[in-house]
Amino acid sequence: MKKLILYVAVLFLFVGCADGQSSNKFAVLPKPKTGEAEATFGGGCFWSMSEALSELKGVKKVVSGYAGGNTKNPTYEEVSSQSTNHAETVDVIYDPKVISYAQLAEAFFFAHDPTTLNRQGPDEGTDYRSIAFYRTPEEKNILLATIKKVNESKHYINPIVTQVVPYNAFYPAEAYHQGYYRSHPNQPYIVSVSEPKVMKFRKAMAAELKPEFKPL
């Protein structure tokens, strides 16, 4: 019985980051206001990625969703089946007068492990791949320069494997995924996987955080 309980506990903890709920209600992606800009990144489970990037000064809104594939308006179940080629992503609306795209790109590479191919921690599959979308040639050059910079810094032992691709479309995820990190602080996956990633991110990007998130 003890072995069975342990097995169930481990299985519950390490299922995909978004398992365990279902809803047909999708979030809405707001349009950037005048003077605001947009950026889209994918780095594994969007619960921790959305929380990390939302803590940066100048970031106005972060929406979890799907991008990189061909299926329009996919559900989480479709994305997790790896039949759509979409990855879990976040769309960031920010004030470029406060935080630059280059700073966002650097933050993205510190918010997850960009050196693991098609996986992040316990989550494995193309839907958890590291991927960055550019909207302009300038953004593409910034992403490539940031990858070179991080690789040369030896921050990670292994080289970055992040895909750098042109932006096509972003589809907001189900409503229950939005702000999940803060609304479910005691969920086992959040405690054991997401929270350590966010804490590491805060240390790496301390100078760019909103005051309430700066490490003591």
Side-chain angles (χ1 to χ4, degrees), residues 48-172:
S48 58
M49 180 64 70
S50 61
E51 173 59 27
L53 297 186
S54 72
E55 295 183 359
L56 294 168
K57 59 186 179 183
V59 171
K60 302 297 183 179
K61 180 75 173 180
V62 179
V63 177
S64 295
Y66 315 111
N70 302 313
T71 303
K72 294 183 178 180
N73 302 309
T75 64
Y76 170 72
E77 288 73 22
E78 290 173 330
V79 173
S80 62
S81 73
Q82 300 183 49
S83 62
T84 67
N85 200 38
H86 281 300
E88 290 194 18
T89 57
V90 296
D91 196 84
V92 183
I93 296 176
Y94 67 100
D95 184 348
K97 297 186 297 295
V98 179
I99 187 167
S100 67
Y101 184 82
Q103 289 172 311
L104 273 180
E106 184 174 14
F108 161 68
F109 287 110
F110 291 139
H112 74 301
D113 184 350
T115 71
T116 54
L117 186 63
N118 297 333
R119 76 171 302 137
Q120 285 292 304
D123 300 318
E124 184 175 6
T126 55
D127 47 324
Y128 294 112
R129 69 189 184 274
S130 179
I131 185 169
F133 301 87
Y134 60 86
R135 287 169 168 79
T136 66
E138 180 184 9
E139 289 184 352
K140 178 181 180 180
N141 291 335
I142 288 173
L143 289 168
L144 295 177
T146 304
I147 289 174
K148 184 175 184 293
K149 175 184 175 182
V150 176
N151 277 335
E152 291 177 346
S153 74
K154 303 300 180 181
H155 181 83
Y156 298 105
I157 297 175
N158 298 313
I160 290 173
V161 296
T162 303
Q163 292 180 330
V164 176
V165 300
Y167 174 83
N168 182 29
F170 173 86
Y171 301 100

Side-chain angles (χ1 to χ4, degrees), residues 45 47 49 88 105 132 201 208 211 214:
C45 178
W47 290 348
M49 180 64 70
E88 290 194 18
F201 174 82
E208 307 303 330
K214 288 183 178 294

